[in-house]
Amino acid sequence: MNATAFFSLINYTLMFKNGLIFCLIFIFLGCNKKNDVVTYPPFFVKAFSVNGNTTTVQYNVSYLPTVKLFFSMPVNKATIPVNVSLLENGTLIIPVNYAYESNDSIVVIQPQIALRPLTKYFFSATTACRSLSGVSLKTDFTGSFITKIDSTDKFPLITDNQLLDKVQQQTFKYFWDFGHPVSGMARERNTSGDLVTSGGTGFGMMAIPVAVSRNFISRTEGLNRTLKIVDFLKNNCTKYHGAFPHWINGATGATIPFSSNDNGADLVETSFLMQGLLVARQYFNSASDPVEIDLRTKINQLWDAVEWNWFRKNNENVLYWHWSPNLSWVINAQVRGWNEALITYVMASSSRTDSIAKIVYDNGWAGNGSIRNNNTYYGYNLPLGPSNGGPMFFEHYSFMGIDPNGLNDAYANYQTQTTNHTKINYEYCKANPRNHFGYSEFCWGLTASDIPGNGYNASEPNNDVGVIAPTAALSSFPYTPVESMKALKFFYYTLGDKLWGPFGFYDAFSLKDAWFAGSTLAIDQGPIIVMIENYRSNLIWNLFTSCPEIKNGLRRLGFTAPYL
């Protein structure tokens, strides 16, 4: 090979290698160009603060707070005003000003108007928010806070006695103004239409003597309403071995099933009703007024017709709660203590026509002593019932008529039981071991009530969802007058703009949720009227325990008391 050919081969080889390298570079660069999609990190809200506080749950927030949203990268400010908002209770949009910090990665929200006290506010950012580089917010973000309580008085200050009068009178309107127009009976709740309740009606009947004695209504008005109810019970309502159902149609008297299996007798509700009937009989006691004589005759007919022993289900030594005309004893719920149904055994023992024997009380109600507790909670000995006492209605429903003062039997001193259970409930709320916002020596009382979300809960220290029911503290006036008065003043003066309604206090509230019920329930309103009166004058206790058959019935069960 000559020199020229040799150099030509070398040049050709170099050109080939360079071309190959160029092609490879072109291909490499082309591939990179084709896949050159810039990937940004996710865009999200890292944290938030309200007035500098970064805790998840925020209470006692000022009325002009500063809310900050900490984003993971700078925001596109043009996307913020329509996609970051502040809402009252999740619906009402609050006008706000926006500002930006930390190179636009912090959005600052400040309301243009003062927020309302004790109200829940939500702040949110939607996925339509963009970062400065155009990335969408990964997920919607929502936070919330509750503004502080307005501690100013919502109503003019009045004396304690005037306040008790006002509470009793306003609460009585539930039974008087809102009583069913046909039957006069108490509706289950303020949305119940024709549905009335037998037990709640008994409580309402006990409230009538209070209303007469306090001059809320005249004696004639009270007598006529009581007679209207009694006539309806006697002539219109279906009875089951003398007992009444839980719910009744107030226009027709037909039974309204409480549940699919509970479509007949409810013995516990019947005992609440009979308690009210006997109080009315003792109050309207004129020997010369033919209307009062007629009323007492009809009450005795209803009272004497209850077949208490039938509810022992084939003579068992225990009473049964329910009986159905077509399903018989299908619910199979025995009435055993400790709960609200002591009155059921007292009424059954006191019957003039069908009294139960003491063994039914000892074996059934008392479980031969199994109702005893005798442990100490918050420094108070609890004779009976579950740990920490259970819901407060245990010490209200039966003791609207039965005076616990000086009352003893083989199982307990009932003055100690009722007082100490209440003290435990009070001390638990004051100690607030679950850290529910708002609980204090002024804001206490756990019992069965409505709760947020259209629910119902038997609240008590072992089942505490953060809901206070005014009836718990107010119906405990005979047991804890100082503590109950503190609660009453807080409910009325401090929370009254949200808690006080046309029929007295609404059923319940939760400060931790800024929630106030719009409901009123007969079984919660009745005890407030009656138990405040027992605290003030012993009126209903004196009337009920003046019944000769009640004295006999209590003695038959082994009770002792000064009034026996």
Side-chain angles (χ1 to χ4, degrees):
M1 180 181 297
N2 58 33
T4 301
F6 177 79
F7 285 111
S8 295
L9 179 60
I10 294 217
N11 286 337
Y12 176 82
T13 302
L14 290 174
M15 288 175 62
F16 177 82
K17 287 183 176 180
N18 287 340
L20 180 61
I21 292 170
F22 178 82
C23 289
L24 290 173
I25 292 171
F26 179 83
I27 292 169
F28 177 79
L29 292 176
C31 290
N32 273 357
K33 182 72 174 177
K34 185 176 181 180
N35 293 291
D36 188 19
V37 177
V38 178
T39 302
Y40 293 97
F43 180 45
F44 58 94
V45 178
K46 298 190 299 181
F48 70 88
S49 69
V50 181
N51 290 338
N53 191 339
T54 59
T55 57
T56 303
V57 181
Q58 307 242 355
Y59 299 107
N60 267 334
V61 172
S62 62
Y63 306 139
L64 287 170
T66 298
V67 178
K68 294 185 179 182
L69 299 181
F70 297 80
F71 288 84
S72 60
M73 62 180 71
V75 302
N76 180 339
K77 293 192 288 187
T79 67
I80 296 302
V82 292
N83 297 305
V84 173
S85 56
L86 179 67
L87 297 95
E88 180 180 303
N89 292 319
T91 55
L92 178 64
I93 298 175
I94 304 300
V96 298
N97 294 320
Y98 299 93
Y100 304 89
E101 296 177 356
S102 189
N103 194 29
D104 297 342
S105 64
I106 299 175
V107 176
V108 183
I109 311 165
Q110 290 184 303
Q112 297 176 6
I113 57 174
L115 304 182
R116 295 199 304 157
L118 199 56
T119 303
K120 193 166 191 176
Y121 289 88
F122 294 86
F123 47 92
S124 64
T126 73
T127 54
C129 293
R130 299 285 189 273
S131 71
L132 191 60
S133 54
V135 180
S136 298
L137 195 65
K138 186 175 182 180
T139 59
D140 289 337
F141 172 83
T142 301
S144 66
F145 61 85
I146 293 175
T147 49
K148 63 183 181 180
I149 296 172
D150 175 10
S151 60
T152 61
D153 293 333
K154 307 307 182 299
F155 302 112
L157 293 176
I158 53 180
T159 68
D160 289 357
N161 276 331
Q162 288 172 329
L163 181 56
L164 292 173
D165 281 343
K166 178 177 283 290
V167 170
Q168 287 181 292
Q169 185 169 17
Q170 190 89 343
T171 308
F172 181 67
K173 291 179 180 179
Y174 181 85
F175 299 96
W176 193 255
D177 296 347
F178 192 60
H180 193 280
V182 176
S183 63
M185 294 180 69
R187 291 176 167 105
E188 171 82 1
R189 54 174 59 234
N190 59 328
T191 56
S192 289
D194 283 332
L195 189 152
V196 299
T197 169
S198 53
T201 294
F203 294 172
M205 294 179 75
M206 299 173 86
I208 287 176
V210 177
V212 175
S213 68
R214 294 286 167 188
N215 297 313
F216 304 156
I217 58 174
S218 70
R219 185 180 181 92
T220 299
E221 288 174 320
L223 172 62
N224 289 339
R225 174 62 67 86
T226 304
L227 184 60
K228 180 178 185 176
I229 294 170
V230 168
D231 280 339
F232 188 83
L233 291 169
K234 182 174 182 293
N235 300 324
N236 296 79
C237 295
T238 305
K239 291 167 277 291
Y240 306 90
H241 296 274
F244 288 83
H246 191 140
W247 284 345
I248 296 167
N249 185 306
T252 67
T255 297
I256 297 176
F258 188 74
S259 68
S260 57
N261 291 331
D262 187 359
N263 62 348
D266 186 315
L267 194 65
V268 174
E269 293 291 312
T270 297
S271 65
F272 298 152
L273 176 61
M274 293 298 151
Q275 183 180 218
L277 287 169
L278 291 188
V279 166
R281 187 194 73 184
Q282 297 304 104
Y283 186 75
F284 295 107
N285 60 356
S286 171
S288 57
D289 184 333
V291 179
E292 294 196 14
I293 293 171
D294 180 52
L295 174 68
R296 295 197 299 273
T297 299
K298 291 173 178 175
I299 288 175
N300 282 332
Q301 290 171 346
L302 291 170
W303 163 230
D304 291 340
V306 182
E307 300 173 29
W308 300 96
N309 279 289
W310 165 265
F311 292 91
R312 291 171 59 188
K313 195 178 82 168
N314 301 321
N315 290 319
E316 294 179 29
N317 288 326
V318 63
L319 292 173
Y320 280 79
W321 202 302
H322 312 90
W323 180 80
S324 163
N326 63 311
L327 299 169
S328 191
W329 307 100
V330 63
I331 295 179
N332 203 40
Q334 296 178 343
V335 185
R336 293 187 178 274
W338 178 253
N339 55 39
E340 73 274 27
L342 172 64
I343 188 66
T344 305
Y345 280 85
V346 171
M347 300 304 289
S349 174
S350 301
S351 172
R352 305 186 305 184
T353 57
D354 197 31
S355 175
I356 62 169
K358 184 176 183 295
I359 192 175
V360 182
Y361 173 77
D362 290 327
N363 181 80
W365 172 254
N368 296 310
S370 66
I371 60 171
R372 291 190 182 98
N373 182 311
N374 287 326
N375 289 306
T376 298
Y377 308 92
Y378 296 96
Y380 293 95
N381 174 259
L382 184 68
L384 306 173
S387 66
N388 290 295
M392 281 311 306
F393 70 87
F394 286 5
E395 314 303 339
H396 298 154
Y397 294 177
S398 289
F399 296 102
M400 291 169 70
I402 301 170
D403 183 355
N405 291 295
L407 184 68
N408 293 272
D409 73 352
Y411 308 104
N413 175 297
Y414 290 87
Q415 187 171 352
T416 300
Q417 170 67 26
T418 53
T419 299
N420 286 5
H421 181 183
T422 311
K423 292 276 193 177
I424 291 165
N425 198 284
Y426 166 77
E427 292 292 343
Y428 168 85
C429 291
K430 191 169 71 168
N432 192 16
R434 302 192 189 196
N435 295 314
H436 290 312
F437 172 61
Y439 281 23
S440 72
E441 62 182 310
F442 305 100
C443 186
W444 64 277
L446 304 179
T447 194
S449 72
D450 287 345
I451 59 173
N454 297 316
Y456 191 81
N457 186 63
S459 295
E460 46 105 349
N462 299 330
N463 182 30
D464 175 17
V465 296
V467 173
I468 298 293
T471 188
L474 303 187
S475 300
S476 297
F477 254 98
Y479 316 136
T480 51
V482 173
E483 296 87 346
S484 294
M485 183 58 76
K486 286 181 182 178
L488 171 55
K489 290 180 176 179
F490 180 76
F491 298 158
Y492 181 73
Y493 291 119
T494 304
L495 301 182
D497 57 329
K498 297 176 179 292
L499 192 55
W500 182 252
F503 303 128
F505 291 107
Y506 290 114
D507 192 57
F509 64 92
S510 172
L511 296 183
K512 77 180 183 69
D513 296 311
W515 171 85
F516 290 81
S519 54
T520 43
L521 279 65
I523 57 173
D524 290 343
Q525 302 306 92
I528 293 174
I529 305 165
V530 172
M531 295 301 274
I532 287 178
E533 192 58 39
N534 280 332
Y535 159 69
R536 301 180 81 181
S537 71
N538 282 22
L539 175 64
I540 305 303
W541 283 342
N542 290 342
L543 288 170
F544 185 70
T545 56
S546 72
C547 298
E549 58 266 64
I550 296 300
K551 292 178 185 291
N552 290 335
L554 286 167
R555 286 194 292 259
R556 186 178 290 117
L557 296 182
F559 283 93
T560 61
Y563 53 82
L564 297 179

